[in-house]
Amino acid sequence: MSKVPSLPYNKIIAALERDGWIVVRQRGSHIRLEKQLTDEVLKLTVPAHKPVKRSTLAHILKQARIDIEQFLNLL
């Protein structure tokens, strides 16, 4: 399994948008994204940090239900 990289927030958001996530709002240094599934709406908050810590990104990917290999392909 690949290690989670430390990336700037704009690259993370661009990759998530390729996966169908939509930026719905930003408040301060937190960017809120949503993704509509057939029976639920998933919600994420990405901090506007350069870089986002590896552990934070790993938690974001877990909430987004995306594995690291799939995420790296979206970059």
Side-chain angles (χ1 to χ4, degrees):
M1 183 163 168
S2 302
K3 291 177 74 174
V4 177
S6 180
L7 297 168
Y9 74 94
N10 51 353
K11 288 192 178 215
I12 295 169
I13 290 177
L16 290 171
E17 286 178 331
R18 285 189 212 63
D19 190 50
W21 291 85
I22 300 168
V23 175
V24 291
R25 68 183 172 98
Q26 179 172 354
R27 183 168 181 171
S29 65
H30 293 86
I31 301 162
R32 185 74 169 189
L33 296 97
E34 291 184 358
K35 183 176 182 180
Q36 180 70 45
L37 299 179
T38 55
D39 56 344
E40 64 183 318
V41 177
L42 298 179
K43 298 178 182 182
L44 286 179
T45 302
V46 177
H49 299 163
K50 287 189 178 182
V52 174
K53 289 183 186 179
R54 289 173 42 197
S55 59
T56 303
L57 178 54
H59 187 72
I60 290 168
L61 295 179
K62 185 175 181 180
Q63 287 180 316
R65 301 177 187 169
I66 300 173
D67 63 12
I68 185 62
E69 288 82 14
Q70 182 183 355
F71 177 74
L72 292 175
N73 289 334
L74 292 169
L75 287 176

